[in-house]
């Protein structure tokens, strides 16, 4: 048995998130089934995070223990025949026995995409939030900087989430435009439930002039979900990358 | 009755091309139906070209004659409620009575997209051709330049196409890379059936080393479909824009 680190890219449209659930198709279950068909036994797969229903991933990390003669680098090619076209294994490497997809992660980066043109774009219909009115990315970027640092993000998690430590450290946060697409990028040591989507909804309220950028520190201090903005829809959100302690970047 | 020029963006995946056909859903029919519901009468819509089944469009132009009080600029907003999410009206303006979406076109630009990474990308699965091995875009670009100018492109049209004038003038042709995507862009006064897809297939044979770039002028001179490369699949092809005589760009 060796431990492997597997990197997955998936279109989350059809899935009820990562984690196995009863009566719902999830990414974890789909990949485990594919591995079961490839290896003969169905190994357990541990993901770097739960992602919500409909959320996408450019590089989701998972680990698994398998006994196989297939070289690590060939596993993505072999898995391809058993995976549906909306999930792709993009990398696989041997990891040390104490590597853990979730607990060895130093930080995770999410990107929220907004398609900012008057008319909808069919190519982004499931892949970016369509906002018709022109958004001022400079104001949004300035506001996003208030997320930086170590804070209690209770105001930015779904109400009704369980009791847990709500302090997280945000290492990077910024908004920039690439043509018709606006990207909100945020990297932290962890995220609370719906945290990026509530941050996005709040930045949009600021762009609309409903709230001032200076209100974000006030919201953080209040720690109350009712003072932050609405939860932006899942289909604009991407888990972009996961950085591990072993990595230099 | 006034004439309008309508610009459409569509994901061609589900459609049997532009032109109305029996027993197949086409873009023309779908937009005409939407206009019929908006205006009460179903106007005829004339497109700038027939596109093949599965081909996409970023800015497909059509003209139509309608009697309406809705200002031209509001028509895309009004149509949105009647169009499916894979077709979007992105612009509408009044045109002169002699404007014709097809015959007033000075040139059309197509783009063929190739996703060039070892493993497939779910986000491009219907939107770019996946080629695993690294492609040399410089060689492809050099080869593409041989398409420039006025030629008989008989070698680059589907065999079995009807008898017609097979001379076309190519104004621009080039291959470049944007990250993991390779784009073949070609602009001409008109295109023969499958012309861009056969050009792409030929450029790929050159990238694979099966043919030399110097063979393209030879293929053109031979004028025989059997000497050019295979027809690349439809899902990588986009009608990118249509330029009209009235336009300065």
């Amino acid at each position: 048995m060796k431990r492997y680190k597997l990197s997955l890219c998936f279109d989350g449209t059809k899935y009820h998130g990562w984690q196995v659930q009863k009566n719902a198709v999830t990414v974890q279950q789909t990949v485990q089934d594919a591995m079961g068909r490839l290896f003969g036994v169905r190994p357990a797969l541990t993901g770097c995070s739960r992602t919500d229903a409909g959320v996408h991933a450019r590089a989701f990390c998972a680990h698994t223990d398998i006994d196989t003669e297939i070289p690590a680098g060939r596993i993505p090619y072999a898995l391809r025949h058993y995976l549906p076209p909306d999930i792709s294994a993009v990398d696989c490497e041997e990891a040390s026995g104490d590597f853990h997809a979730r607990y060895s992660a130093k930080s995770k980066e999410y990107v929220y995409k907004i398609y900012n043109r008057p008319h909808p774009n069919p190519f982004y219909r499931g892949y970016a939030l369509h906002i018709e009115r022109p958004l001022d990315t400079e104001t949004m970027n300035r506001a996003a900087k208030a997320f930086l640092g170590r804070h209690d993000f209770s105001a930015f998690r779904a109400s009704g989430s369980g009791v847990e430590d709500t302090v997280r450290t945000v290492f990077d946060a910024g908004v920039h435009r690439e043509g018709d697409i606006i990207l909100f990028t945020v990297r932290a040591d962890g995220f609370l439930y719906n945290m990026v989507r509530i941050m996005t909804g709040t930045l949009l309220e600021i762009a609309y002039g409903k709230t001032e950028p200076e209100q974000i520190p006030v919201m953080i201090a209040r720690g109350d979900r009712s003072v932050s903005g609405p939860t932006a829809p899942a289909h604009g959100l991407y888990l972009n990358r996961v950085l591990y302690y072993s990595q230099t970047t």
Side-chain angles (χ1 to χ4, degrees), chain A:
Chain A
M1 292 288 258
K2 277 183 290 197
R3 181 152 291 190
Y4 293 89
K5 178 185 164 203
L6 184 68
S7 190
L8 300 165
C9 176
F10 60 81
D11 174 345
T13 307
K14 275 191 0 184
Y15 297 95
H16 281 74
W18 166 259
Q19 192 114 323
V20 167
Q21 286 176 35
K22 276 187 189 169
N23 307 319
V25 180
T26 66
V27 179
Q28 184 184 32
Q29 174 197 323
T30 306
V31 180
Q32 284 181 169
D33 288 350
M35 295 182 96
R37 291 177 65 197
L38 172 60
F39 298 115
V41 290
R42 194 169 172 282
L45 198 58
T46 305
C48 60
S49 73
R50 296 169 202 174
T51 57
D52 290 350
V55 172
H56 310 297
R58 283 173 44 128
F60 185 99
C61 276
H63 78 258
T64 186
D65 296 319
I66 335 170
D67 188 11
T68 179
E69 296 297 308
I70 305 174
R74 295 304 304 172
I75 291 178
Y77 292 96
L79 265 181
R80 192 187 299 176
H81 305 289
Y82 303 103
L83 287 171
D86 51 8
I87 301 178
S88 177
V90 293
D91 192 43
C92 184
E93 52 190 72
E94 270 189 57
S96 62
D98 61 353
F99 173 81
H100 191 286
R102 184 166 180 190
Y103 301 123
S104 307
K106 188 166 54 180
S107 64
K108 280 172 231 162
E109 184 179 87
Y110 280 90
V111 170
Y112 197 97
K113 289 192 187 179
I114 295 164
Y115 180 72
N116 190 34
R117 292 280 300 169
H119 299 293
N121 182 326
F123 301 107
Y124 286 113
R125 70 189 186 278
Y127 305 104
L129 175 64
H130 178 220
I131 301 286
E132 298 189 20
R133 57 178 122 175
L135 298 174
D136 175 0
T137 50
E138 277 190 39
T139 301
M140 291 172 78
N141 184 52
R142 187 157 51 88
K145 299 306 175 194
F147 294 130
L148 290 171
R150 187 173 158 83
H151 304 288
D152 181 330
F153 282 101
S154 293
F156 295 89
R157 70 162 180 166
S159 54
S161 316
V163 178
E164 60 168 326
D165 177 14
T166 50
V167 174
R168 296 290 184 273
T169 302
V170 173
F171 303 113
D172 288 318
V175 175
H176 74 283
R177 182 185 284 274
E178 290 180 7
D180 298 330
I181 295 286
I182 292 171
L183 300 116
F184 166 47
T185 305
V186 56
R187 187 167 66 83
D189 60 355
F191 290 88
L192 305 173
Y193 190 52
N194 283 171
M195 183 165 149
V196 185
R197 292 165 58 187
I198 299 169
M199 285 173 157
T200 304
T202 305
L203 292 174
L204 285 170
E205 299 264 275
I206 289 165
Y208 298 158
K210 290 189 191 172
T211 306
E212 295 299 310
E214 294 68 28
Q215 286 303 307
I216 289 184
V218 178
M219 293 173 190
I220 293 173
R222 288 278 294 277
D224 182 350
R225 173 69 187 93
S226 68
V227 298
S228 54
T231 306
H235 72 268
L237 185 60
Y238 297 71
L239 174 59
N240 204 40
R241 54 183 181 145
V242 187
L243 300 179
Y244 288 96
Y245 282 107
S246 51
Q247 291 175 315
T248 49
T249 48

